[in-house]
Amino acid sequence: MKKLLFVALAAMAASCMEKPEGGSPEPPIDVDVNHFQTAEAFEVPVEAGKITVVKADGVTLAEADSPMTIWVPRMGKTRAAEGITVEFVPSDEYPSFEGNKAQMFQVICFEDSYDGDYDYNDLVIHVMYLQKQNIFGFAVQPIALGSSKSIKLGCVVYKGNKQVYKGFITPDGVDCRKQYFKSIEGFVNVNNRNEVDFIEPQYLGSTIRNWDVSKIAGDGVMRVEWYIEVGGEEIYALSTAYLNKSFDKTGLPLGLVITTTGTVFVDKDGGYECGFDWFNYPHESVHIERVYPELWSWLTTDSTYTFSEFYDGFEAPKNAYTACFNGLYKATTLGSVTDAKYRQN
């Protein structure tokens, strides 16, 4: 098992069944946003006649023969083999190259009110981001629902600082329970017992979106900020534009965006490394401090930490849902994220 360093966490919205609704904090929250940013932009270097391959501890993030900017997880290095690596491969030794390509995955864990219990499981989704040449897009895979409330999922897409898109990605305004979890009642995949049947993991075409970046004015890397709407209130994941809607009154993030946990899985069929964002989130109504005290310390203090020092995706701690073991993050179907039928411009 390989280890990646540092976590990728950001923030989204709070709480669950029978919790006080609360409201977005006023006046503006005084927080160090950079403390919670655990993905960063990376300029891919190129050499004439060669393909640049960028990896994070063996997992391929990008292939390019011309300059491009990508997102990579923030990581520390304790051994030469760890962290972000760059390899230049002669073009004639890379016959499968079809143009610049980059991809990244994240697990996003929401709460559903501003007065949360910090179990971070009210809505859990797995997102794939993909760029092929000029086309950038994403696809959403539903994982868990630990809320009784009606939740709608939305996102804001940027090119650099330019807002490209903002809106719900649930079709016709339906909520996530209906769209993602087949209208099943009760909690879904949060308590380590078969209170409901597991939903077959898949990325849903109804929430695939993509854009032709060449048609969008301005510079900068494409990025996505996620939010949910609960009772008419929008709650964001570490948005710099909606900072007050990303934190509670104490300045704590109201959700998590996991980019790397330190555990790397190997796909049994393809043999490739994957899954370093897969996260075993807490059980329903279990405070995350009881499950991952090191993570809570990072969220509540100025301390930094290395996720891989305390996290093992293969063995979930007590009061954590065994999402990895149950195969919730494995996708059996994935429509083409860059297919023209999902084009937004």
Side-chain angles (χ1 to χ4, degrees):
M1 177 178 69
K2 294 186 178 181
K3 295 290 185 180
L4 292 178
L5 301 180
F6 277 82
V7 61
L9 293 149
M12 263 213 178
S15 172
C16 193
M17 185 177 181
E18 298 181 357
K19 302 171 189 170
E21 294 294 329
S24 59
E26 297 290 347
I29 288 294
D30 181 17
V31 295
D32 178 10
V33 178
N34 189 61
H35 176 74
F36 301 96
Q37 296 284 1
T38 51
E40 59 189 359
F42 179 82
E43 299 289 340
V44 178
V46 295
E47 293 184 359
K50 296 181 180 180
I51 307 300
T52 305
V53 181
V54 181
K55 296 183 178 181
D57 199 13
V59 180
T60 299
L61 302 180
E63 303 165 316
D65 66 353
S66 60
M68 70 181 304
T69 304
I70 65 173
W71 288 103
V72 299
R74 283 184 176 178
M75 296 187 292
K77 297 181 180 180
T78 58
R79 299 192 303 270
E82 292 182 331
I84 302 299
T85 63
V86 177
E87 181 183 4
F88 300 98
V89 181
S91 298
D92 58 4
E93 297 178 13
Y94 217 96
S96 60
F97 183 75
E98 297 179 350
N100 284 10
K101 176 183 177 181
Q103 66 180 19
M104 187 175 73
F105 297 82
Q106 291 182 324
V107 175
I108 304 175
C109 307
F110 301 85
E111 295 218 314
D112 64 10
S113 116
Y114 284 96
D115 296 306
D117 62 0
Y118 305 108
D119 59 10
Y120 296 106
N121 66 23
D122 294 332
L123 176 67
V124 182
I125 59 174
H126 189 210
V127 182
M128 176 188 186
Y129 308 93
L130 177 65
Q131 181 157 347
K132 286 187 176 181
Q133 300 182 48
N134 290 329
I135 308 303
F136 167 82
F138 61 77
V140 174
Q141 177 187 14
I143 301 298
L145 185 66
S147 174
S148 62
K149 300 175 183 177
S150 177
I151 298 175
K152 295 180 181 179
L153 178 64
C155 69
V156 187
V157 180
Y158 299 87
K159 182 179 182 181
N161 293 322
K162 177 183 176 63
Q163 182 174 306
V164 175
Y165 173 90
K166 179 182 184 296
F168 296 131
I169 57 173
T170 45
D172 301 321
V174 303
D175 67 14
C176 292
R177 182 177 299 277
K178 181 176 182 180
Q179 179 190 14
Y180 289 138
F181 300 100
K182 302 179 181 179
S183 297
I184 293 174
E185 296 181 358
F187 300 142
V188 183
N189 298 336
V190 294
N191 287 323
N192 273 349
R193 58 179 184 266
N194 293 325
E195 71 274 21
V196 299
D197 293 330
F198 294 137
I199 306 300
E200 181 182 3
Q202 60 180 326
Y203 288 88
L204 297 188
S206 62
T207 45
I208 292 177
R209 301 284 190 278
N210 67 56
W211 290 262
D212 186 336
V213 178
S214 67
K215 296 181 179 180
I216 304 173
D219 299 316
V221 62
M222 298 292 290
R223 62 187 175 91
V224 183
E225 295 179 347
W226 295 94
Y227 70 92
I228 57 174
E229 185 188 81
V230 185
E233 186 78 36
E234 291 181 350
I235 309 173
Y236 284 77
L238 203 64
S239 168
T240 55
Y242 302 92
L243 193 60
N244 267 32
K245 296 183 178 182
S246 300
F247 295 87
D248 67 12
K249 294 179 176 65
T250 67
L252 282 171
L254 293 170
L256 305 178
V257 179
I258 312 295
T259 305
T260 178
T261 65
T263 299
V264 177
F265 297 82
V266 177
D267 180 78
K268 293 181 180 179
D269 297 323
Y272 56 86
E273 294 169 324
C274 63
F276 55 78
D277 60 307
W278 296 358
F279 182 58
N280 293 314
Y281 42 85
H283 286 176
E284 171 57 28
S285 298
V286 177
H287 196 295
I288 196 170
E289 184 179 19
R290 293 173 53 193
V291 185
Y292 302 110
E294 299 90 347
L295 181 54
W296 183 248
S297 176
W298 178 78
L299 292 173
T300 56
T301 71
D302 293 334
S303 66
T304 59
Y305 70 100
T306 300
F307 206 136
S308 59
E309 291 180 352
F310 65 86
Y311 183 86
D312 184 348
F314 296 97
E315 295 185 14
K318 183 180 180 180
N319 292 320
Y321 186 75
T322 54
C324 300
F325 178 81
N326 290 334
L328 293 189
Y329 295 113
K330 295 180 180 179
T332 56
T333 61
L334 173 59
S336 176
V337 175
T338 56
D339 195 285
K341 68 181 179 180
Y342 302 119
R343 195 70 33 84
Q344 302 298 300
N345 64 346

